Amino acid sequence: MNPKPSLVILTGAGISAESGIKTFRSGDGLWENHRVEDVATPEGFIRNPGMVQRFYNERRRQLSEVSPNAAHYALVELERAWPGSFLLVTQNVDDLHDRAGTHSLLHMHGELKKVRCLSCNVAIPWEKDVLQDSPCPTCNKKGKLRPHIVWFGEVPFGMDEIAYALQNCDYFAAIGTSGHVYPAAGFVQWVGKNCRTYEINLEPSIVNSAFSESIQGIATQTVPTWVKEILSKNKQ
Ligand code: APR
């Protein structure tokens, strides 16, 4: 057995659901009463920048009303106790993994608590509302800030690092994701042939059959249990 096994974890909206953040595909196909194409595409932003900024201002404000849950904290404990390399890739744009204390964390779809300047292209930490004429703190240009979120049709962040980690990991777990959106949904196909893969989700995702193990239930119960099990198999 590898004394320093490497572990990659992918999380999706399901890990934040019990913290009170809505998932994307739970019911009416709307995300917080908006069509995805209106608030999560470059075209939607060009069509109606004010509405898109307001949408993300509301999502950003909501972060102060929610907290990390037992699943987020279980992954912090896993990172601390893990004997080899650890990488948590999240599709989520909330800050719950950050606030829980995960260090090796990659937001592949961006972050609500950052904006990006269309003029100088710098991503800047941002807590408050973005207004139509908010100046960029770096280049001072007004009205050039957009959410630092990867919209449909845009390239996710960190893909080289993610691909390398997946090709070299001994364990891969996908937690709370429906497997609808690529490239994340395809990550389970990128791992090496000896990698042990787990899907930990409320119900089987549409890519469930590609995983070697499948654990169903709510994340605040399944993730802490799985963390104890995988740590017991890979004691330091
Ligand atoms: N515990 C575990 N899993 C849960 C829970 C829970 N409490 N609640 C919901 N789930 C599962 C659902 O069964 C579903 O399979 O989480 C998954 C959430 O799926 P989506 O809503 O599709 O979210 P996600 O897979 O993260 O979406 C991926 O799509 O809209 C884009 O960029 C957006 O990052 C997002 C991407």
Side-chain angles (χ1 to χ4, degrees):
M1 181 177 84
N2 182 345
K4 287 194 169 296
S6 62
L7 167 63
V8 177
I9 294 175
L10 169 71
T11 61
I15 200 168
S16 297
E18 290 162 87
S19 294
I21 296 183
K22 283 203 180 62
T23 60
F24 294 94
R25 291 168 186 86
S26 45
D28 54 12
L30 296 179
W31 182 22
E32 297 281 0
N33 304 320
H34 285 76
R35 293 183 323 146
V36 166
E37 50 273 31
D38 291 338
V39 292
T41 60
E43 298 76 15
F45 184 60
I46 291 164
R47 231 184 354 258
N48 194 338
M51 188 269 284
V52 173
Q53 291 290 17
R54 279 193 299 281
F55 177 80
Y56 287 98
N57 286 342
E58 279 161 34
R59 304 282 68 71
R60 196 176 300 108
R61 256 185 253 133
Q62 186 196 25
L63 294 181
S64 59
E65 297 154 16
V66 297
S67 306
N69 62 52
H72 296 103
Y73 288 115
L75 296 182
V76 173
E77 183 206 331
L78 178 57
E79 179 180 26
R80 284 197 188 122
W82 190 251
S85 71
F86 175 100
L87 175 63
L88 199 166
V89 180
T90 187
Q91 300 172 92
N92 300 340
V93 294
D94 63 54
D95 61 348
L96 296 180
H97 284 304
D98 313 72
R99 285 161 54 192
T102 295
H103 294 291
S104 177
L105 176 61
L106 200 162
H107 283 274
M108 66 180 286
H109 289 168
E111 301 173 61
L112 278 170
K113 288 212 166 168
K114 283 184 182 164
V115 293
R116 190 164 77 245
C117 177
L118 294 170
S119 175
C120 64
N121 207 30
V122 171
I124 309 127
W126 193 275
E127 298 274 338
K128 50 194 190 303
D129 283 0
V130 177
L131 306 175
Q132 204 89 8
D133 59 355
S134 296
C136 167
T138 312
C139 72
N140 230 7
K141 285 260 178 60
K142 287 192 173 202
K144 292 289 181 191
L145 299 178
R146 65 158 276 181
H148 185 56
I149 301 280
V150 177
W151 285 328
F152 284 95
E154 296 183 325
V155 179
F157 299 122
M159 289 310 297
D160 292 345
E161 180 183 350
I162 295 169
Y164 179 81
L166 288 167
Q167 283 147 18
N168 294 283
C169 66
D170 301 285
Y171 295 97
F172 171 64
I175 301 173
T177 181
S178 63
H180 275 95
V181 176
Y182 286 81
F187 286 177
V188 66
Q189 313 286 357
W190 297 11
V191 301
K193 61 183 187 323
N194 297 324
C195 176
R196 189 137 197 74
T197 59
Y198 301 82
E199 180 176 83
I200 304 171
N201 206 49
L202 192 60
E203 73 242 333
S205 79
I206 56 174
V207 292
N208 178 263
S209 58
F211 288 83
S212 31
E213 277 195 62
S214 178
I215 302 164
Q216 262 115 60
I218 59 171
T220 53
Q221 289 170 10
T222 54
V223 177
T225 305
W226 174 73
V227 164
K228 283 187 185 65
E229 180 207 303
I230 197 164
L231 281 177
S232 66
K233 285 183 190 162
N234 292 278
K235 258 193 244 323
Q236 264 180 325

